[in-house]
Amino acid sequence: MSLNSSSITQADVAPKQPLLRLDAVGKTFGTHVVLEDIDLSLAAGEVVAIIGPSGSGKSTLLRCINQLEPPTTGRVTIGDTTIEAGHTPTRRELMVLRRSIGMVFQSFNLFPHLTVLRNVSLAQERVMGRTREQADAVSMQLLARVGLADKAQQFPSRCSGGQQQRIAIARALALDPQIMLFDEPTSALDPELGLEVLSVMRELAEGGMTMIVVTHEMRFAENVSDRVIIMADGRIVEQGPSGTVMRNPQTERAQRFLHAVKDR
Amino acid sequence: MTQDMLLTMVSGVPWTIALTAVALLIGVVLGIPLCAMRMSKLVVLRMVANTLILTLRAIPPIVWLFFIFFGLDTGYVSLNPFQAAAIGLGLITAANMAEIYRGAMSAIHSGQSEASMALGLSTYHRFFDVLGPQLFRVALPSAASYAIGLLKDSAIASTIGVHEIAFEASHVSQRTFRGLDVYAVAGLLYILLSLPIAWASRWADLHLRARVAR
């Protein structure tokens, strides 16, 4: 299963065949419209950065993709699973969706009562049915990949924020996701610690991982992502190849936002 | 105070301990589904849980014990005093534990649940692998003070004839016409029983704190 999915993600899939598709996704809380009419499709291996002012719906969009926040309209398609707004997804559909999508949160959300190793192994055992030995072996490889093999037996509270976020990335990768979602992964970190997280993310991107990154790191958006989406007021106001959008935005709203953050 | 009197009172200790332990066990276990119902998305379940919790907590324990011991003993069910007291105190404890769990649940960051869901963990694993252990740690201090309160409240079981400390003390007092020293000894016994609970709770709290500190 894991071998199959990762070999497919590399190159075999024609770029026309999206890995993930959102059609007219919207989200309202009561009368408050947070997301409106979002269309988005993501090809395997693509890295998309979503930027925009606070409250523009970036995080909600990410959370709608893996149904942490059920959309109120539209549909989310991943592989051959489609989840339609308004229908409660079956347990199976949710399982398929969440196994295919890894998520990294702004506040890390590591499990504080478990060692670093157990944090990475737990879902492998419970969701993928790996044995403890198999899971721990995979976890050690992933921890080594994010440079934290020596922390395996520690508790998360003994790790710095940057280390915790790298552990969280390893934890999400442990389920062999096809897509990784990053929800402002460096916003809770000071710049130096943020860099170590960004460098792990850059390596992931270069390794061919399909990623959607909600971020305030403009340099990451410009240099690492293939495509940039600028959101404002719950809508996509501009999107395109990262170089073009970042350097030469067409819409007034995008220009205004990029001007305000250009020195970051 | 003769040795005989002292021994009689000490003979109540195992009953006090047993009653407290059984009631606590019932409460700790039944508190889980009750709390789950209380926090359910289904209005009906929430209403049932709310009503149960309110009823169990609003009626004084002594009335519950009388109700169960004298009221339910109608030929179909036959309960001895210990069973009646354990059930009564156990149910009241369940209601209180449900509220303690609920308080602890709200103290756990919502990110823990979200991270579990994003990892595809089932509701069962989310609870038993992620939230439960943290809940245990957060609920421990309140649960321990409740346990100490329960130990003392178990004295009301003397009114339906459970031979625990208060029952034996009153028995000795009536037989010997002595009050002061007899009840002072009874009080001392309760203090001696409370201390280990307080110590154990403190120790566990310190021991576990490092693992939940964020």
Side-chain angles (χ1 to χ4, degrees):
Chain A
M1 174 72 198
S2 65
L3 282 177
N4 271 339
S5 58
S6 59
S7 61
I8 289 172
T9 18
Q10 293 310 317
D12 307 342
V13 175
K16 304 278 185 297
Q17 168 78 50
L19 195 57
L20 172 75
R21 242 182 76 165
L22 308 192
D23 292 298
V25 166
K27 175 78 187 177
T28 49
F29 291 106
T31 56
H32 182 56
V33 180
V34 187
L35 277 184
E36 210 173 347
D37 203 20
I38 303 285
D39 292 317
L40 174 67
S41 89
L42 195 67
E46 210 179 357
V47 178
V48 173
I50 304 181
I51 59 177
S54 299
S56 57
K58 308 180 299 279
S59 291
T60 309
L61 173 58
L62 222 51
R63 295 159 59 85
C64 279
I65 294 175
N66 71 351
Q67 305 286 315
L68 278 186
E69 220 55 273
T72 28
T73 57
R75 73 186 80 78
V76 176
T77 308
I78 179 157
D80 43 20
T81 305
T82 296
I83 294 180
E84 194 92 39
H87 304 269
T88 313
T90 65
R91 219 171 271 202
R92 218 190 117 66
E93 287 171 334
L94 269 186
M95 190 72 133
V96 170
L97 188 82
R98 289 182 175 153
R99 268 189 64 165
S100 320
I101 302 177
M103 184 162 191
V104 173
F105 299 87
Q106 180 178 348
S107 50
F108 329 135
N109 296 341
L110 292 180
F111 305 134
H113 60 296
L114 300 177
T115 61
V116 167
L117 185 66
R118 288 299 293 154
N119 261 278
V120 184
S121 293
L122 181 69
Q124 297 179 57
E125 285 172 51
R126 302 294 189 252
V127 179
M128 305 177 85
R130 287 184 181 152
T131 66
R132 181 130 184 192
E133 288 71 29
Q134 290 168 331
D136 284 351
V138 172
S139 302
M140 285 309 297
Q141 278 177 13
L142 287 166
L143 286 172
R145 199 162 136 198
V146 298
L148 291 170
D150 57 322
K151 292 283 181 187
Q153 300 306 328
Q154 302 274 7
F155 284 92
S157 55
R158 300 286 299 273
C159 301
S160 73
Q163 290 169 339
Q164 292 195 40
Q165 194 60 300
R166 282 144 66 199
I167 296 161
I169 294 174
R171 179 175 71 174
L173 288 174
L175 297 180
D176 292 332
Q178 294 175 275
I179 301 173
M180 286 282 284
L181 308 178
F182 292 85
D183 187 6
E184 302 196 24
T186 57
S187 296
L189 298 171
D190 67 46
E192 196 180 0
L193 296 179
L195 280 181
E196 60 185 56
V197 172
L198 289 172
S199 94
V200 167
M201 290 167 61
R202 178 189 278 266
E203 275 168 39
L204 261 184
E206 284 163 359
M209 176 58 78
T210 312
M211 297 163 52
I212 304 182
V213 185
V214 167
T215 186
H216 293 294
E217 308 276 353
M218 295 304 142
R219 256 183 244 136
F220 183 90
E222 181 164 352
N223 300 330
V224 181
S225 64
D226 305 307
R227 187 147 57 104
V228 171
I229 291 176
I230 302 182
M231 288 185 66
D233 305 320
R235 289 171 165 278
I236 293 177
V237 292
E238 183 151 347
Q239 62 173 318
S242 48
T244 317
V245 171
M246 296 300 285
R247 270 179 246 124
N248 191 17
Q250 298 303 307
T251 62
E252 186 276 335
R253 186 67 190 89
Q255 285 163 0
R256 190 147 47 93
F257 172 73
L258 285 172
H259 183 74
V261 298
K262 70 176 189 304
D263 295 326
R264 291 283 302 267
Chain B
M1 166 85 44
T2 63
Q3 198 185 4
D4 179 49
M5 290 159 64
L6 195 63
L7 279 178
T8 309
M9 289 172 61
V10 171
S11 76
V13 170
W15 288 106
T16 294
I17 293 176
L19 181 56
T20 308
V22 173
L24 198 60
L25 187 71
I26 294 175
V28 163
V29 174
L30 286 186
I32 297 173
L34 200 53
C35 175
M37 283 165 66
R38 178 80 170 73
M39 298 179 72
S40 164
K41 277 181 224 152
L42 298 173
V43 185
V44 182
L45 284 183
R46 277 210 307 274
M47 273 169 53
V48 171
N50 276 340
T51 313
L52 277 172
I53 290 172
L54 188 76
T55 316
L56 283 166
R57 301 213 311 174
I59 297 174
I62 194 166
V63 176
W64 270 119
L65 294 203
F66 285 174
F67 176 76
I68 293 169
F69 186 59
F70 299 114
L72 290 188
D73 195 12
T74 50
Y76 292 109
V77 232
S78 152
L79 295 168
N80 68 34
F82 181 83
Q83 290 165 337
I87 292 170
L89 293 177
L91 290 177
I92 295 168
T93 304
N96 285 291
M97 290 308 294
E99 291 296 271
I100 289 175
Y101 294 152
R102 193 166 65 96
M105 199 71 105
S106 62
I108 297 175
H109 192 259
S110 61
Q112 293 291 308
S113 238
E114 289 180 356
S116 315
M117 288 193 273
L119 285 168
L121 292 176
S122 63
T123 311
Y124 175 89
H125 289 305
R126 177 156 37 111
F127 186 78
F128 284 97
D129 289 325
V130 178
L131 301 179
Q134 298 185 60
L135 201 69
F136 175 77
R137 152 72 184 82
V138 180
L140 192 66
S142 341
S145 26
Y146 186 81
I148 291 173
L150 179 65
L151 178 83
K152 295 180 293 178
D153 284 348
S154 70
I156 61 159
S158 63
T159 56
I160 56 171
V162 178
H163 291 214
E164 45 68 74
I165 298 173
F167 180 91
E168 297 296 355
S170 117
H171 181 65
V172 169
S173 167
Q174 279 164 21
R175 211 177 47 189
T176 60
F177 304 106
R178 296 162 67 145
L180 190 66
D181 52 353
V182 169
Y183 286 113
V185 167
L188 191 65
L189 289 175
Y190 281 108
I191 293 176
L192 291 177
L193 288 177
S194 305
L195 286 176
I197 303 182
W199 288 333
S201 150
R202 261 182 78 103
W203 178 84
D205 194 43
L206 285 173
H207 184 72
L208 294 172
R209 176 157 296 179
R211 299 195 180 185
V212 188
R214 300 175 58 83

